[in-house]
Amino acid sequence: DFQGQEDNFQPDEMRDTPDSPFIRDVAQLVGSDHKDVVLNPAELSNPEVRRKVLTARDIPVGLGDFDMSLYLLFEAIRAESTVALSGESADEVFGGYRWFQAEAAASSGTFPWLERMNLTSAWSPHLAEEFRRTLDIPSFVSDQYSTAVAQVEHLGSETSHERRMRTVCHLHLTRFVRILLDRKDRASMAVGLEVRVPFCDHRLVEYVYNTPWSLKTFDGREKSLLRHATKQVLPASVRDRVKSPYPSTQDPGYAAALQQQVKEVLTERNHPV
């Protein structure tokens, strides 16, 4: 969690509610020895932590405070244990993301998450036009999408909607979840923690993948099969909660700290950055 997040939480298009109340409900129900890892802006913006995260990620572009908080969470868990369990990939296997339900994303002719989050164009204005033309990202994405779609095997009896949703599920299982699993593996192993993912068990993935989309969403909600299968072991608040993605800090102090660090870089003309 983040310092002051629950008290000052503001709903946005991705997150309707803070996580803390639901976490407490689960901890109380199962009787776990629960501990909150609460992060503040200074920890999230620490250049030393960022250096470790970027080294672990091995790419110059990551997910900002998503990566920083995950690394710090794993570091805290490692102080208690060498192995942990994660619910990673439940959304990909059971159809949890909101864009699964969005017709525009499913029929966009590209990877649904790119259309939904506008990822391919968000940074384009910051690149020189000649460089953008040379990169030709749209053609690259189009080629990758065509290659991915061609790998999907369909059933002859599928309706057009079932066919489209099988493709969407396949894209998430073969493309999207790999990004998240790589991030999880790198962040956890950087602190010596082994994080296992039960929802990636191939028997579960193969079984659920071949259930019709109409069954995956039989009650009109996301992750219907998983909700139904686990309803006896979850608090009602969690079972009925609308899907909420990995948390992000809303503290303006985090952005302010990053801006100050950028200013310090820009004032030094010979700075290696």
Side-chain angles (χ1 to χ4, degrees):
D1 201 0
F2 305 102
Q3 183 177 291
Q5 182 96 328
E6 185 175 2
D7 294 334
N8 303 306
F9 181 82
Q10 294 294 321
D12 57 32
E13 62 177 8
M14 296 293 287
R15 300 170 183 85
D16 300 323
T17 51
D19 290 335
S20 299
F22 302 92
I23 292 168
R24 285 196 296 269
D25 288 348
V26 173
Q28 182 177 359
L29 179 70
V30 303
S32 61
D33 181 9
H34 183 69
K35 176 183 289 188
D36 287 310
V37 178
V38 182
L39 305 175
N40 61 46
E43 293 169 306
L44 288 171
S45 61
N46 186 331
E48 281 301 313
V49 175
R50 186 184 308 119
R51 188 171 290 111
K52 293 177 181 178
V53 170
L54 287 172
T55 300
R57 290 280 265 153
D58 201 30
I59 54 175
V61 179
L63 295 175
D65 71 301
F66 284 22
D67 285 348
M68 300 286 280
S69 62
L70 189 70
Y71 177 90
L72 292 169
L73 171 65
F74 286 161
E75 190 174 54
I77 295 173
R78 179 59 181 84
E80 307 282 340
S81 175
T82 57
V83 182
L85 297 179
S86 167
E88 199 80 87
S89 86
D91 287 312
E92 289 77 15
V93 174
F94 288 94
Y97 296 112
R98 296 190 183 188
W99 56 72
F100 274 98
Q101 311 286 344
E103 183 67 25
S107 307
S108 62
T110 188
F111 297 103
W113 53 90
L114 295 184
E115 192 279 336
R116 189 67 171 177
M117 295 189 284
N118 197 27
L119 290 179
T120 51
S121 59
W123 43 262
S124 293
H126 305 291
L127 299 178
E129 184 177 350
E130 182 180 355
F131 187 48
R132 290 206 306 270
R133 286 200 306 268
T134 302
L135 285 177
D136 193 10
I137 294 295
S139 294
F140 172 76
V141 172
S142 178
D143 289 344
Q144 290 293 311
Y145 179 72
S146 298
T147 299
V149 169
Q151 296 172 350
V152 184
E153 296 182 41
H154 291 282
L155 303 176
S157 58
E158 287 178 325
T159 65
S160 59
H161 182 66
E162 285 286 351
R163 182 181 180 89
R164 183 164 64 249
M165 294 314 297
R166 178 181 284 268
T167 297
V168 170
C169 291
H170 194 276
L171 294 175
H172 280 81
L173 290 172
T174 58
R175 300 309 194 275
F176 193 73
V177 76
R178 291 168 62 183
I179 301 170
L180 301 182
L181 292 176
D182 180 78
R183 167 177 172 262
K184 182 267 304 175
D185 281 339
R186 289 176 178 275
S188 60
M189 293 311 298
V191 299
L193 178 69
E194 180 184 348
V195 177
R196 299 176 181 175
V197 279
F199 284 117
C200 284
D201 186 296
H202 71 93
R203 294 160 296 188
L204 179 67
V205 173
E206 292 166 2
Y207 180 79
V208 177
Y209 173 70
N210 279 301
T211 58
W213 182 250
S214 59
L215 184 58
K216 287 189 176 81
T217 56
F218 70 87
D219 60 358
R221 302 194 60 189
E222 72 275 13
K223 290 196 280 196
S224 301
L225 286 177
L226 184 59
R227 290 177 187 274
H228 189 71
T230 59
K231 64 182 181 181
Q232 303 300 328
V233 295
L234 286 175
S237 61
V238 174
R239 185 189 67 230
D240 297 333
R241 187 190 185 192
V242 174
K243 155 71 182 174
S244 186
Y246 185 90
S248 179
T249 181
Q250 295 184 346
D251 194 326
Y254 173 66
L258 294 186
Q259 289 171 337
Q260 180 58 37
Q261 290 174 23
V262 171
K263 288 178 182 177
E264 292 170 2
V265 168
L266 294 175
T267 56
E268 186 180 333
R269 285 187 169 274
N270 297 319
H271 196 285
V273 172

